Amino acid sequence: MEMNVCGTSPWMTAELEGFRDSVRRFVASEVAPHQQRWREQQHVDRALWHKGGAMGILCADIPEQYGGSDGSFAHQAIVFEELGYVGDMAFGIHVHAIVAHYLLNQGTEAQKLKYLPRLASGEMVAAIAMSEPGAGSDLKGIRTSAVKTADGYKVNGSKTFISNGYLADLVVVVVKTDAEAGAKGVSLLLMETKDNPGFRVGRILEKVGQKGQDTCELFFDDAHVALDNVLGGVEGQGFAQLMTELPYERTILGVAGVAAIERALRLTVDHTRERRAFGQALIEMQNTRFVLAEIKTEATIARVFIDRCIIDTIKGRMDTVTASMAKYWISDLQCKVIDQCVQLFGGYGYMLEYPIAQMYVDARVQRIYGGANEIMKEIIARSL
């Protein structure tokens, strides 16, 4: 079943088609059948990370010298699309890939060699801890502190809404290393969670949707970070590092959003062909046809836009403003389209056994995480 509303994307190649086929088979066998069980246990199986590592999809666009698959962002985008096409919102591979890029682009050579192979293999699961109970999109407002001692840093504070938090072995923690220096006092620390008595995982949070994703609170009570685990080796670079890497994250959210839009359209077309009312198929009714025509048009526009974003990311020229546009506009559209699709399903659209209902509750947070859409508009406005 072809999901891409434009057929083949301009960045696709024969080699990438082969890669897509293998990823699709992996997702069909290792991800799709387990969705309900993961929702009930609130996290994926640890074994999935090892299987993903063996398959080469955890760090698909990380160089081979660091244990990655030596592909481009095209390979990583295919992984996100194929997960989106089965409606997976449990496998936190997106955050994992983002952390790998923090290491690749901002880490010291020693940090890359130490951690990237372990992320690529699935030996370590990665998370990034930004948000706090009192600070979300406003990263300058964080209160988690790190104090340097003779043998490392002592970290105190708490984080919330942390994807992969329950299973994470390596957490990039956004901390204040200098409380008086504002943005220049922010650092990113690479915290290993195993055998770290000051580190504690709180409960897995009860969310509206995405229940299979282990989103947690994290607590630090003199949690230990080694002296050489400041990302990049220099304190005070954290805010600049975050600003540099956030476009990658926001492009990923755009890729996932377009995949969800394309899946919602396909599911709804299939349903309206099969479902009959007043003696005819729903798709034969003018209102249904016009709504689907609008969705097909918007999905096509979104696909053309995200394809350009993917190409720009592959070529290393994706910028903050374009990534912010992709993140805000596509996530807004995703929520709107899925809502329209639920309406065309009627009562069945409100039943969680129907994938469109699951997509409805899973989509809403896309407009919040990765930087709230209001922040995206502020970033875009500043460029005018």
Side-chain angles (χ1 to χ4, degrees), residues 266 268-276 280-284 292:
R266 171 53 53 208
T268 309
V269 168
D270 289 347
H271 175 77
T272 56
R273 280 181 179 148
E274 294 161 10
R275 179 82 174 152
R276 297 183 69 79
Q280 59 183 332
L282 285 182
I283 202 165
E284 292 169 4
L292 290 173

Side-chain angles (χ1 to χ4, degrees), residues 17-245:
E17 288 288 1
F19 179 72
R20 186 184 290 279
D21 287 343
S22 62
V23 173
R24 187 167 290 179
R25 285 194 299 272
F26 177 85
V27 170
S29 65
E30 303 295 343
V31 178
H34 307 294
Q35 301 277 295
Q36 186 55 37
R37 182 168 58 80
W38 291 341
R39 283 190 204 94
E40 289 165 6
Q41 71 184 25
Q42 294 186 290
H43 60 86
V44 301
D45 302 330
R46 185 79 202 202
L48 179 65
W49 287 98
H50 297 300
K51 290 174 182 175
M55 176 72 189
I57 61 172
L58 299 185
C59 293
D61 58 351
I62 297 294
E64 198 172 12
Q65 70 191 93
Y66 302 120
S69 299
D70 216 27
S72 72
F73 183 69
H75 294 82
Q76 204 69 67
I78 286 167
V79 174
F80 302 142
E81 286 181 351
E82 291 303 319
L83 289 169
Y85 290 154
V86 300
D88 174 71
M89 285 292 185
F91 193 10
I93 193 170
H94 308 73
V95 172
H96 192 82
I98 289 162
V99 171
H101 273 258
Y102 273 89
L103 278 159
L104 179 68
N105 299 328
Q106 309 292 339
T108 65
E109 191 64 18
Q111 289 166 352
K112 293 181 215 182
L113 290 168
K114 182 176 182 180
Y115 291 117
L116 283 173
R118 296 159 82 183
L119 296 185
S121 69
E123 177 194 337
M124 293 186 106
V125 176
I128 183 160
M130 295 189 208
S131 295
E132 297 182 3
S137 293
D138 176 20
L139 290 171
K140 289 175 189 166
I142 63 159
R143 299 178 66 178
T144 300
S145 66
V147 176
K148 200 172 188 176
T149 65
D151 66 339
Y153 289 87
K154 284 186 176 177
V155 179
N156 286 281
S158 65
K159 299 286 183 178
T160 193
F161 314 136
I162 308 307
S163 301
N164 293 349
Y166 181 73
L167 292 174
D169 306 285
L170 182 69
V171 184
V172 176
V173 189
V174 184
V175 300
K176 284 272 180 77
T177 41
D178 183 348
E180 308 301 315
K184 290 186 170 63
V186 175
S187 302
L188 306 187
L189 300 186
L190 301 165
M191 180 181 289
E192 295 189 35
T193 65
K194 193 177 179 186
D195 301 322
N196 193 340
F199 171 81
R200 183 167 63 84
V201 178
R203 64 197 172 96
I204 298 180
L205 298 166
E206 186 69 28
K207 305 187 295 296
V208 171
Q210 300 196 7
K211 290 180 181 289
Q213 163 60 239
D214 55 323
T215 309
C216 291
E217 298 172 303
L218 304 180
F219 298 96
F220 315 103
D221 183 15
D222 281 349
H224 176 75
V225 174
L227 279 173
D228 54 4
N229 274 25
V230 179
L231 185 68
V234 181
E235 287 184 15
Q237 302 295 307
F239 201 75
Q241 291 167 337
L242 288 164
M243 293 306 105
T244 303
E245 296 304 318

